């Protein structure tokens, strides 16, 4: 979600490509050769993505998250991909029943 509006995957990819291009243009001004500018852009972009991911995961497993009091698997607290992977195998209902048996009546299986 971006400012409460859902963003489709293709829109997110286009936004990432535009952002990468803008960062490259700025670093192209600062560095004399295109290869140096590209390396600097890649380092800046991956530093940004790593920091963003670490901050998001850190918040979702922190005490300050609104759902922090609900137990559940660590991966389920940090990403929605965990539940999607369980659903792809066709065993989602079995996995959720096992989670309820392990954690009790309330289980956190999503990041929101």
């Amino acid at each position: 979600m971006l400012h409460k509006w859902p963003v489709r995957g293709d829109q997110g990819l286009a936004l990432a490509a535009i952002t990468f291009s803008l960062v490259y243009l700025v670093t192209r001004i600062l560095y004399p050769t295109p290869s140096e500018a590209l390396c600097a852009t890649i380092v800046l972009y991956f530093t940004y993505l790593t920091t963003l991911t670490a901050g998001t995961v850190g918040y979702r497993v922190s005490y300050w998250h609104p759902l922090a009091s609900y137990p559940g698997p660590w991966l389920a607290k940090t990403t929605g991909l965990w539940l999607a992977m369980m659903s792809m195998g066709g065993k989602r209902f079995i996995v959720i029943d096992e989670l309820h048996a392990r954690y009790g009546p309330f289980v956190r299986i999503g990041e929101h």
Side-chain angles (χ1 to χ4, degrees):
M1 289 252 193
L2 182 65
H3 300 288
K4 305 288 182 189
W5 295 305
V7 177
R8 295 187 335 231
D10 59 341
Q11 293 170 338
L13 188 60
L15 184 62
I18 291 169
T19 306
F20 188 87
S21 301
L22 290 174
V23 171
Y24 175 75
L25 290 175
V26 170
T27 55
R28 186 66 181 101
I29 294 169
L30 300 173
Y31 292 96
T33 64
S35 62
E36 289 177 340
L38 183 61
C39 288
T41 303
I42 291 170
V43 167
L44 285 171
Y45 205 69
F46 281 110
T47 302
Y48 165 73
L49 291 177
T50 303
T51 305
L52 181 67
T53 302
T56 302
V57 169
Y59 171 69
R60 289 181 181 170
V61 297
S62 73
Y63 175 76
W64 297 281
H65 194 278
L67 301 175
S69 62
Y70 296 101
W74 190 82
L75 275 176
K77 291 179 182 181
T78 58
T79 180
L81 294 176
W82 181 84
L83 189 58
M85 288 174 38
M86 296 299 125
S87 299
M88 283 177 36
K91 307 278 187 199
R92 178 181 172 176
F93 66 98
I94 295 171
V95 171
I96 291 177
D97 283 344
E98 290 172 355
L99 290 174
H100 282 294
R102 180 176 179 185
Y103 294 109
F106 299 104
V107 180
R108 184 174 169 190
I109 57 172
E111 74 272 9
H112 298 293

